[in-house]
Amino acid sequence: EKGNFRHFMAKEMHEQPEVVAHTLAHYIDMANETVQLPTDLPFDFTKLERVSIAACGTAYYAGLIAKYWIERYARLPVEIDVASEFRYREAPLPRDGLMVVISQSGETADTLASLRYAREQGQHVMAVVNVPTSTIAREADVVMPTLAGPEIGVASTKAFTCQLATLAAVAVAAGRARGVLSADEERRLVRALVEVPRLMNEALKLGPVTETLSRAVSRVRDVLYLGRGTSFPLALEGALKLKEISYIHAEGYAAGELKHGPIALIDENMPVVVIAPYDNVFDKTMSNMQEVAARGGRIVLITDKTGAEHASLETEATLIMPDMDPAITPLVYAIPVQLLAYHTAVQMGTDVDQPRNLAKSVTVE
Ligand code: F6R
């Protein structure tokens, strides 16, 4: 049931504070402010040399963000691939390694094949999965459930942020086990995660602004999304969300890659959505934004108050996000990115919940 919402996608976007809180509660001991993985692991984080991740689409972007977290907080190297490549490229995998597959449906053919390949190669398989009765959940050694509830809209929203919440918990648990994070650092990260639902509610208030902005976006042919660090996978996710439901062509790029090609596309017709919380790479992203501005590009900046004060150039629109710990920005910045795609699709009059040519569960390769 859609309740008061026009589309399942809108309902599911607005459910995120609640389902992310629910998911976090599953992985966090609130009283002690520690991460507590719900099951005994059949492997030892301290003995791992490397983690491999495979997934498709939006779940793959969640995995890309997890790579940044696991490498930073647990000093554990991560390789990641889209499952359709991973399953055939015959990657050599370390003895007793860890394979993480991520899937909302738990039925995606390529992701399942990656799981099976990894098992044959003697890997421990962890599945971050939303449907607990799915094939992927059944075949994995360890299941890390995302508690998003049923996701009906074809475009993944709440499953994505619940995947991020789960993967953040895994990264922190690995960091603690490996002695990379101190108890104090763990507490800081846990406190930051616990703030996410409240911050998501704040971010959802950008609905009207993104709706206004969507009128301009719905008139263009192409949109470019830029981000650095953990905002880079979010740029990819923003572009995917926009193209799949509004049918407007969009590309996501690492901000630093701009000058290696895509800058040639910039003119006064193409909006460039820059995802740039005020974090350790903010200044670098700003200089990329200046390159866009100097070529007459139309900038839509998603940042916080401090970021807006430091961005000394004119934008077509600046969406102001609440202040937050840089560790959790991908979870909260996902919201304006989803809202913009949603409102643009509504403007275009497309079938938001059932976009053409797409299926909710891709069980053939
Ligand atoms: C995008 C989207 C798809 C899925 C992908 C993987 O909004 O929904 O890209 O993320 O097909 O599906 P699951 O997570 O079910 O394996």
Side-chain angles (χ1 to χ4, degrees), residues 9 56-62 82 154-156 160 223-225 232-253 337-338 341-342 355 358:
M9 184 180 172
C56 301
T58 290
Y60 168 68
Y61 299 143
V82 288
V154 163
S156 185
F160 175 66
V223 180
L224 192 62
Y225 286 75
F232 160 49
L234 210 50
L236 298 171
E237 167 63 1
L240 175 62
K241 213 94 299 174
L242 186 73
K243 65 188 138 190
E244 73 179 322
I245 59 173
S246 76
Y247 316 147
I248 294 171
H249 171 241
E251 296 289 337
Y253 267 96
V337 157
Q338 296 165 350
Y342 172 75
L358 284 169

Side-chain angles (χ1 to χ4, degrees), residues 8-211:
F8 281 108
M9 184 180 172
K11 173 172 175 269
E12 289 163 2
M13 286 191 297
H14 285 83
E15 277 171 8
Q16 288 179 107
E18 196 188 324
V19 295
V20 166
H22 194 41
T23 302
L24 285 170
H26 196 65
Y27 294 101
I28 285 176
D29 174 343
M30 298 290 178
N32 293 307
E33 298 183 310
T34 56
V35 167
Q36 209 72 64
L37 297 188
T39 50
D40 287 332
L41 301 175
F43 60 87
D44 184 345
F45 275 123
T46 62
K47 303 224 165 68
L48 293 180
E49 277 168 52
R50 179 155 48 107
V51 175
S52 309
I53 303 181
C56 301
T58 290
Y60 168 68
Y61 299 143
L64 263 180
I65 290 166
K67 173 185 164 78
Y68 285 79
W69 285 338
I70 295 169
E71 293 190 338
R72 178 170 307 156
Y73 300 127
R75 307 303 304 154
L76 187 55
V78 177
E79 63 140 6
I80 170 159
D81 216 335
V82 288
S84 55
E85 288 300 314
F86 184 86
R87 65 179 293 189
Y88 291 120
R89 79 178 158 87
E90 296 174 25
L93 300 174
R95 182 192 292 269
D96 287 327
L98 173 64
M99 173 88 207
V100 178
V101 294
I102 308 163
S103 177
Q104 188 286 124
S105 64
E107 302 295 346
T108 302
D110 287 322
T111 310
L112 177 60
S114 297
L115 174 157
R116 288 177 178 162
Y117 173 80
R119 291 207 69 167
E120 279 162 23
Q121 300 296 310
Q123 304 298 290
H124 302 287
V125 179
M126 176 188 282
V128 174
V129 62
N130 198 44
V131 178
T133 52
S134 62
T135 313
I136 288 175
R138 276 202 314 272
E139 293 196 17
D141 302 312
V142 192
V143 177
M144 293 289 158
T146 52
L147 305 180
E151 191 180 62
I152 310 294
V154 163
S156 185
T157 53
K158 62 175 181 168
F160 175 66
T161 45
C162 287
Q163 285 161 355
L164 290 179
T166 303
L167 290 161
V170 170
V172 174
R176 271 303 272 156
R178 290 167 68 82
V180 178
L181 294 177
S182 66
D184 271 0
E185 287 164 323
E186 178 183 29
R187 199 169 309 120
R188 190 210 101 205
L189 289 166
V190 166
R191 283 187 185 154
L193 284 167
V194 169
E195 287 293 301
V196 167
R198 177 185 67 78
L199 293 161
M200 284 179 147
N201 272 317
E202 288 294 310
L204 283 164
K205 294 182 187 157
L206 292 171
V209 191
T210 49
E211 186 172 4

Side-chain angles (χ1 to χ4, degrees), residues 271-290:
V272 181
V273 179
V274 183
I275 304 163
Y278 193 71
D279 59 13
N280 62 325
V281 290
F282 177 84
D283 291 336
K284 301 287 170 194
T285 308
M286 275 316 102
S287 54
N288 302 125
M289 221 170 88
Q290 256 133 18

